[in-house]
Every structure is written in C-alpha cells, then in structure tokens.
Amino acid sequence: MKSIGVRMIHSLYEDGGEGSPSNPLKYKDQDYMQLKESLLKEQKIFCDETFPPNLDSVGELEGFTEKNLQQIKWIRPLELNPDAVFVKDGTSRFDFQQGHVGNCWFLAAVGVLTFRKGLMTQVVPVDQSFKDNYAGIFHFRFWRFGKWVDVVVDDFLPTLDEVPLSVSSTCGKEFWALLLEKAYAKICGSYKDMIAGNPPEAFKDLSGGVHMSYKLTTPLPDLWDVMNRAVQSKTMMGCGSFTGKKGRKINAKFNLVGGHIFAVTGLKEVESSGKKVKLVRVWNPWGELEWNGDWCDTSDLWETVRDEVRNQCVKEREDGEFWMKMEDFCTYYEEMDICCDSPNFVDGDEACLWNCSVKEGRWEAGKSAGGSDFSAKEFWTNPQYRVTVKAVEGNQKGDKNVLLSLMQKPDEEHRSEVTYHSIGLAVFQVPPKTPKGRLPPSLFENQEPVILSDFYDDRELIEFHCLDLGEYLIIPCTFDPNKTASFIITVYSKTEADLE
C-alpha cells in the first residue's frame, strides 16, 4: 500500500510547539515530571487536589442511591493487588471490561486504539510503573480541540466492596485502562460526565484524526471497500446498535445489547461451501454477551471453511468478540464511524497527501453571531475564512477534493452540562481579483452559496465536497443568530489550501 497521510500546513501548533504531540499542554497547569521529581525527593505519594478521591469526582451515577454512593471507597492499585502492574505483556482490548459507568462509547474507542501501537504510546506513555520510582502519580495524553494535553492523575480508584466501580482489569492486576479512564473522567468533569456519547467524540479525543459517519440502514454500495481501506489505513472503527423497541427485539433474539456502542476490530473474506462470504469482527466492551447468529463462535458455518481459517478466526471464549456476515452487520447495527489520520479511506486515493489547515474562532452574540439566513444583513457579521482550491494531478472533475470540519469548543467545565448549538457552513465563490481582507455582502448579492451544509446540534460537523478551482469564502454559523460559542474550523484539501 502506498504511503498516505496529512501534511499540516496551518495548524494551531507547529511541530514541537505548544500543544503538539511532542509538547502537549499541561492540563490544570500540572507538570507531571516536576510533580513526580518533587514527590520522589520528599518521599510522598501523590493525591490530586484537582480531581480528589471523593464523591464530587464520581458524580451522581445513574442507578446509584445515596447509600450506594456513600459506600464507594477510593483505593490504590497496590492495595487492591500487591502484584499490580501498569501494563502486562502489552496493551490489548481484552485487558479490561466495562463497569458501572455507561461509557461504552469511550471504551470501544480505547479497544480499537490498542491496534494502533504508535498512537497508543502517545496516549498511554508506557514508562510508568507501580515499582520503579513509584509515587502514586500517572499521566495520559488526549487531543482536545486542536491541541494535545497531558493529564495528570493520582492512582486512587473508586471501588465498591474493593472491586473497581467502573472499568476493571480482566486479569485483576493490570491497571493502565483503569487509570486512562480516570484521566478522561477528569477532563470530562467526573465519572458521571462520561455517561452517554458517540464514537466520533472519543476517536477524536484519542487521535485528533478525521472521522466519517455511515448510516447502515442505507449502506453505501462500496461500504465493504471503504471498510477494507480503513483497516489498511490503520483507522479506528465503531458501530452502534438500535435503541428502543427494535433494539430490545434484536437483543432478545441475537444477544446484541441495544443502544450500545461496539468496536469493529477486523474484516475477513472467507470461502464457505464454494462461495465468498464477507465477515466483520465486532467487540463488546462489556467483555461478554456476544452475537449468537450466523458465524458466531459456536456456529456450524465455521465447519464449511478451511481448517486454518477456522483456527485463525474462532476463539470459543466469552471475551465479547465475535464475527458476523456483512449483511447481518448492516441489518442489526444502525450506524458506523471511522476515524483516521487522513481521509484517504473515503475515496481510495491512496497516493494523495492531504493538506490540513486549522483555525480557531468564536461567535459572540450581538457581534459575530449572525445566524444561518444568508439573505439577512446580520449573516455577514459571522466569521469569514478564505481558501483557494488549486489543481490536483490526476483529479477528475466531480471528484470530492475538500473535507470541511466545524467543531464546537464548549466553555463549560463539565461535559454533561454542555449544550451544543445547531451549526453549519455556507461556502461562496469569491469573484476574481477580489482584494484581501473581510468581504462585504455586496459582493454576493446575486449569488447563492455553492455549499450550504446541513445543520446539526453535534460537537462536530464534517462534510466531504467537490470544489472547482478558485477562491472561496467559508462562513461558519449557528442556525439561530446571537449564540455565543468558540469553534475550530478545519479544511482538508487535496491541494495546498491556505485558510485565511
């Protein structure tokens, strides 16, 4: 496979600059190395005052009474198991299981993150231990709204009856996943603030990559090819099961948990009784409850394939992972998300090295939040960004060559308190020889936008488009005027594209 990737042209950081992967921001201004050196020198064990071991850090969990919450005790791993280790024989999706916190959307993303070893070491620094230079302090890294941040935590874990409240170690002694979850709970505000979410949010926070969402109820004709390219590109993939009555019916019949997020962990085409069958491998972060339909672990259909294929694929154990044919995957799951460093998997243009340009902005009510009605004079108070699309060698007319992303950056500290506005993008073609600087609405009086995106009240809007050669004006906006919020706008382009 040819080399693929993204070349950062204008971003919120330069390589090695503040907020880059090699120089992340210090969350809560906590410097891991300085804190640890001080603790070792003073022979102290860390207790994090910014995320203390108390009920405020847990939050009001669903299904827990006040009495249950009062029974929670914070215990360090070495007290839970004297043989505690940070990582045992490498990291794997089978190292952990979901607990009492409804954060399957995050844990499914962590499960597929373990396949991306380079990114995994960025998120989970491996030089951490409960033995050498132990001081009760650990750190993890997340991509947060354009920049990488380093998050420090102590190793106190919430427990009930000396069993971890949330994520648990499947072997009882490996704690990297439990502490990673705690670090993410810290940036969310509490464990309670991790409840309910979608894979794109976790994928983004674990990689900073670009994601695409697919409705499986009306699958693309080439969805299998897209997924194959995604696997080759070392992407992260997740899928969501149906909610409500349909979800309960499927769960009762096929053992698929309704309203739940799963990880997609593999693809394979096998020959069964002389016919080609496309199979998808799926993993439940509960670590149990597996599909019991065709091609499940105990299915007789495995007797119809070659012995080496069956031995390679079938593991008859309760680990939450199973195979199902592509048709069943699209029937019994509602949606799928793919996240990768570049958009190459979307159209199969493996040779393309995408350019990426990123800017921060803000809508201010009464100043720069003109809403979505481009015929209204207030519309032109919205922020403006100009981008030039140039020729791409081998690009055919009509090929999608620009991917636009608009991400809201909330002001609230607690994730559960965030209310996202309905956001979208309008794109206008700029007349030739237009001077630089902010453009007046008079230039566009007889022109409608070449792109007017759909509007969604999600954290991120992302759309793939075809733009002809020329200069364009991109206007990010909220559907209703006079909304205040910060945002990040990103343009991925198959040509060099300066975002101004």
Side-chain angles (χ1 to χ4, degrees):
M1 182 177 177
K2 296 178 181 177
S3 155
I4 64 172
V6 171
R7 177 169 54 239
M8 301 298 288
I9 299 300
H10 296 288
S11 71
L12 300 179
Y13 54 75
E14 299 297 331
D15 187 33
E18 191 177 65
S20 66
S22 60
N23 185 22
L25 297 174
K26 296 172 180 61
Y27 189 70
K28 301 284 187 183
D29 294 321
Q30 291 176 299
D31 188 308
Y32 170 74
M33 292 304 299
Q34 287 185 8
L35 284 169
K36 186 171 183 178
E37 287 176 9
S38 176
L39 290 163
L40 292 172
K41 184 177 180 180
E42 298 174 17
Q43 296 185 324
K44 292 182 178 179
I45 304 299
F46 184 55
C47 182
D48 185 8
E49 294 180 356
T50 70
F51 196 64
N54 61 28
L55 288 180
D56 287 339
S57 297
V58 174
E60 297 179 3
L61 297 178
E62 294 178 355
F64 275 65
T65 64
E66 186 65 28
K67 182 179 180 181
N68 294 147
L69 292 172
Q70 292 298 331
Q71 291 173 341
I72 293 173
K73 294 183 179 179
W74 293 78
I75 304 177
R76 295 185 190 268
L78 286 170
E79 297 175 66
L80 292 171
N81 189 329
D83 297 321
V85 294
F86 186 66
V87 174
K88 178 180 179 291
D89 301 327
T91 55
S92 162
R93 61 199 180 281
F94 301 124
D95 292 345
F96 61 91
Q97 292 176 293
Q98 185 180 346
H100 291 292
V101 177
N103 58 356
C104 55
W105 59 281
F106 173 70
L107 298 178
V110 173
V112 289
L113 176 67
T114 61
F115 287 92
R116 298 192 58 188
K117 299 306 180 184
L119 183 58
M120 185 71 184
T121 56
Q122 164 69 16
V123 175
V124 183
V126 294
D127 57 341
Q128 306 187 77
S129 170
F130 292 103
K131 293 181 174 62
D132 300 332
N133 294 322
Y134 170 74
I137 186 170
F138 293 82
H139 69 132
F140 302 86
R141 300 185 186 119
F142 304 99
W143 185 96
R144 296 290 286 171
F145 306 107
K147 296 189 178 183
W148 284 91
V149 296
D150 191 76
V151 181
V152 172
V153 291
D154 62 33
D155 60 350
F156 276 112
L157 296 169
T159 69
L160 275 175
D161 299 324
E162 298 192 0
V163 175
L165 175 72
S166 191
V167 166
S168 61
S169 166
T170 51
C171 70
K173 61 185 292 185
E174 188 173 23
F175 286 89
W176 70 265
L178 287 73
L179 293 172
L180 172 65
E181 181 196 43
K182 180 176 183 177
Y184 198 70
K186 180 175 177 177
I187 64 172
C188 289
S190 71
Y191 281 87
K192 179 250 185 183
D193 285 280
M194 296 179 71
I195 294 174
N198 294 307
E201 182 176 350
F203 288 159
K204 196 84 172 184
D205 288 352
L206 292 171
S207 70
V210 56
H211 84 266
M212 297 294 289
S213 296
Y214 300 88
K215 288 292 182 185
L216 297 178
T217 48
T218 53
L220 296 174
D222 64 340
L223 183 61
W224 175 260
D225 295 331
V226 171
M227 294 173 69
N228 249 319
R229 291 193 295 266
V231 169
Q232 294 171 37
S233 302
K234 297 182 179 179
T235 64
M236 296 188 284
M237 289 192 284
C239 56
S241 57
F242 287 93
T243 57
K245 184 178 180 180
K246 185 171 184 177
R248 290 192 296 272
K249 185 177 180 180
I250 294 171
N251 183 23
K253 186 175 181 180
F254 292 113
N255 221 27
L256 284 183
V257 183
H260 190 49
I261 303 299
F262 297 72
V264 177
T265 59
L267 299 177
K268 196 169 187 67
E269 188 173 69
V270 301
E271 186 171 309
S272 169
S273 301
K275 295 181 179 180
K276 296 287 186 181
V277 181
K278 296 178 173 64
L279 298 177
V280 182
R281 192 174 65 190
V282 182
W283 176 69
N284 180 354
W286 284 6
E288 58 184 9
L289 284 185
E290 301 179 9
W291 161 261
N292 60 16
D294 288 352
W295 298 99
C296 68
D297 287 356
T298 57
S299 172
D300 292 340
L301 288 168
W302 287 111
E303 299 300 323
T304 67
V305 303
R306 298 196 316 272
D307 289 348
E308 59 266 32
V309 173
R310 181 172 61 255
N311 294 335
Q312 181 186 37
C313 294
V314 180
K315 304 288 189 298
E316 290 190 30
R317 62 189 182 195
E318 186 70 4
D319 56 13
E321 192 166 68
F322 51 87
W323 292 92
M324 60 196 310
K325 63 182 178 181
M326 184 69 176
E327 293 85 352
D328 285 339
F329 177 72
C330 292
T331 298
Y332 297 113
Y333 286 99
E334 185 174 13
E335 55 194 0
M336 181 184 67
D337 295 280
I338 301 177
C339 180
C340 189
D341 293 335
S342 87
N344 295 78
F345 69 86
V346 178
D347 63 358
D349 188 354
E350 299 172 359
C352 175
L353 190 63
W354 289 76
N355 297 281
C356 178
S357 189
V358 187
K359 296 290 184 184
E360 283 189 291
R362 187 169 175 84
W363 298 291
E364 292 280 359
K367 295 181 180 179
S368 57
S372 60
D373 182 0
F374 58 87
S375 65
K377 63 179 182 180
E378 292 82 7
F379 176 80
W380 295 96
T381 64
N382 282 308
Q384 296 183 3
Y385 298 88
R386 289 169 70 169
V387 63
T388 301
V389 175
K390 301 177 182 178
V392 183
E393 184 178 348
N395 205 55
Q396 301 296 315
K397 185 173 179 60
D399 286 351
K400 293 182 178 180
N401 57 351
V402 173
L403 190 145
L404 305 175
S405 163
L406 180 62
M407 172 180 279
Q408 299 186 68
K409 183 179 179 181
D411 297 326
E412 293 84 357
E413 187 172 346
H414 285 261
R415 178 177 172 273
S416 62
E417 296 174 1
V418 173
T419 299
Y420 290 117
H421 303 301
S422 183
I423 58 171
L425 293 161
V427 180
F428 295 83
Q429 187 145 26
V430 177
K433 299 181 180 180
T434 299
K436 297 296 183 182
R438 188 169 179 85
L439 301 183
S442 57
L443 279 174
F444 306 94
E445 285 178 351
N446 299 314
Q447 184 185 153
E448 292 195 353
V450 294
I451 295 172
L452 183 60
S453 74
D454 293 327
F455 282 75
Y456 296 102
D457 54 353
D458 295 331
R459 187 173 79 153
E460 184 179 19
L461 166 78
I462 191 161
E463 294 188 345
F464 208 17
H465 291 287
C466 170
L467 288 177
D468 294 331
L469 303 187
E471 188 176 16
Y472 295 87
L473 182 70
I474 303 175
I475 300 183
C477 52
T478 56
F479 185 78
D480 295 315
N482 295 318
K483 301 293 184 182
T484 297
S486 296
F487 63 83
I488 295 170
I489 183 169
T490 307
V491 176
Y492 296 87
S493 172
K494 288 189 176 185
T495 67
E496 184 174 339
D498 296 331
L499 191 65
E500 298 177 356

